[in-house]
């Protein structure tokens, strides 16, 4: 039987040939061997497939090109059904991780098995990787916490203050709720509310930020 990875990183992409290589490299350079990267290409008409093919010599990288375009919502909904590891990270093809990001998250999740997910603020950058801003939200507390917060009430009060690409999910918790509903406009917000109802424990981590 094939050993399952500790972490599955699913990358959804469409026409992001300029950025997808940086995304993959940022995951491979996290210093974690026990992971897999699954790139879900939504039938991109550009050179995305050729760019990703450069990384397929690494056994941690897999590539799936959809035969027809599913649209952003369809591809994202599919992504959250593809996790095979204990933990799942969901990126887009123009996101990338800062050094040490996954190790930092992994340490916290292993120390707190009661938490369904961990998230943080993130940086917004331009195509030259110049930082435009730190994307904080009024719903962020501004300090690390683990549980002790009514995430359902806060998510309903503030709107979604959790950026999907900043999250590491515990796959066992994600499996207990229906994943993204492509018929709902704010489907990621809906997902986080349902996860909070299922398991109110989450962790906000402020010291390791994700860039995208």
């Amino acid at each position: 039987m094939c050993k399952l990875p500790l972490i599955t990183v699913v990358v959804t992409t469409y026409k992001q040939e300029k950025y997808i290589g940086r995304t993959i490299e940022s995951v491979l350079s996290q210093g974690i061997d026990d992971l897999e990267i699954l790139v879900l290409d939504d039938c991109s008409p550009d050179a995305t497939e050729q760019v990703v093919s450069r990384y397929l010599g690494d056994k941690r990288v897999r590539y799936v090109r959809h035969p027809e375009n599913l649209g952003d919502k369809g591809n994202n909904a599919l992504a959250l059904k593809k996790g095979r590891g204990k933990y799942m990270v969901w990126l887009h093809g123009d996101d990338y991780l800062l050094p040490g990001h996954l190790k930092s998250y992994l340490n916290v999740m292993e120390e707190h098995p009661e938490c369904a997910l961990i998230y943080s603020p993130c940086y917004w950058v331009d195509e030259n990787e110049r930082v435009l801003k730190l994307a904080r939200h009024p719903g962020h507390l501004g300090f690390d916490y683990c549980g002790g917060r009514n995430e359902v009430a806060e998510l309903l009060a503030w709107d979604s203050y959790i950026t999907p690409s900043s999250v590491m999910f515990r796959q066992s918790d994600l499996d207990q709720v229906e994943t993204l509903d492509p018929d709902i406009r704010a489907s990621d917000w809906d997902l986080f509310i349902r996860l909070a109802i299922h398991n109110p424990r989450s962790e906000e981590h402020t010291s390791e930020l994700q860039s995208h």
Side-chain angles (χ1 to χ4, degrees):
M1 181 179 294
C2 180
K3 180 181 179 296
L4 297 179
L6 179 62
I7 303 171
T8 297
V9 179
V10 182
V11 181
T12 57
T13 189
Y14 179 67
K15 295 199 300 186
Q16 292 170 323
E17 62 176 304
K18 293 174 61 177
Y19 312 109
I20 188 67
R22 181 70 177 87
T23 301
I24 294 171
E25 289 171 7
S26 77
V27 178
L28 293 177
S29 64
Q30 290 292 305
I32 300 175
D33 291 328
D34 194 5
L35 62 76
E36 67 173 349
I37 304 172
L38 173 59
V39 179
L40 297 181
D41 181 4
D42 201 16
C43 198
S44 296
D46 62 3
T48 293
E49 184 172 7
Q50 288 86 344
V51 174
V52 176
S53 68
R54 302 171 192 164
Y55 302 94
L56 295 181
D58 191 310
K59 63 182 181 180
R60 295 172 292 177
V61 182
R62 295 190 294 139
Y63 174 73
V64 174
R65 177 181 170 85
H66 303 321
E68 59 183 20
N69 184 269
L70 303 179
D72 187 54
K73 288 187 176 181
N75 200 20
N76 289 333
L78 182 62
L80 291 186
K81 298 178 181 179
K82 292 296 185 179
R84 304 190 305 163
K86 182 177 180 180
Y87 303 106
M88 190 270 193
V89 174
W90 167 33
L91 302 178
H92 294 93
D94 59 351
D95 297 333
Y96 68 89
L97 304 179
L98 294 177
H101 180 87
L102 290 185
K103 278 191 173 181
S104 176
Y105 269 23
L106 184 59
N107 290 339
V108 174
M109 292 294 276
E110 292 283 85
E111 290 173 5
H112 297 280
E114 72 279 10
C115 289
L117 60 87
I118 182 173
Y119 72 96
S120 72
C122 60
Y123 287 113
W124 289 2
V125 300
D126 64 16
E127 61 182 10
N128 298 311
E129 300 185 16
R130 290 192 296 260
V131 174
L132 301 177
K133 69 174 182 177
L134 173 59
R136 290 196 177 277
H137 186 282
H140 293 162
L141 297 185
F143 54 85
D144 291 352
Y145 73 89
C146 180
R149 183 181 189 187
N150 188 333
E151 298 283 356
V152 178
E154 296 279 15
L155 283 165
L156 289 172
W158 284 108
D159 71 45
S160 186
Y161 48 78
I162 301 175
T163 303
S165 53
S166 78
V167 174
M168 176 183 281
F169 299 93
R170 191 177 304 275
Q171 188 64 49
S172 59
D173 285 282
L174 193 58
D175 288 341
Q176 296 302 309
V177 300
E178 295 181 11
T179 53
L180 292 182
D181 185 342
D183 294 326
I184 296 177
R185 182 175 181 181
S187 55
D188 55 338
W189 185 12
D190 172 70
L191 172 64
F192 293 128
I193 292 171
R194 285 185 283 109
L195 273 168
I197 293 171
H198 163 70
N199 183 343
R201 300 285 296 218
S202 66
E203 173 90 15
E204 182 176 10
H205 200 46
T206 58
S207 57
E208 292 292 339
L209 303 176
Q210 175 172 356
S211 301
H212 71 104

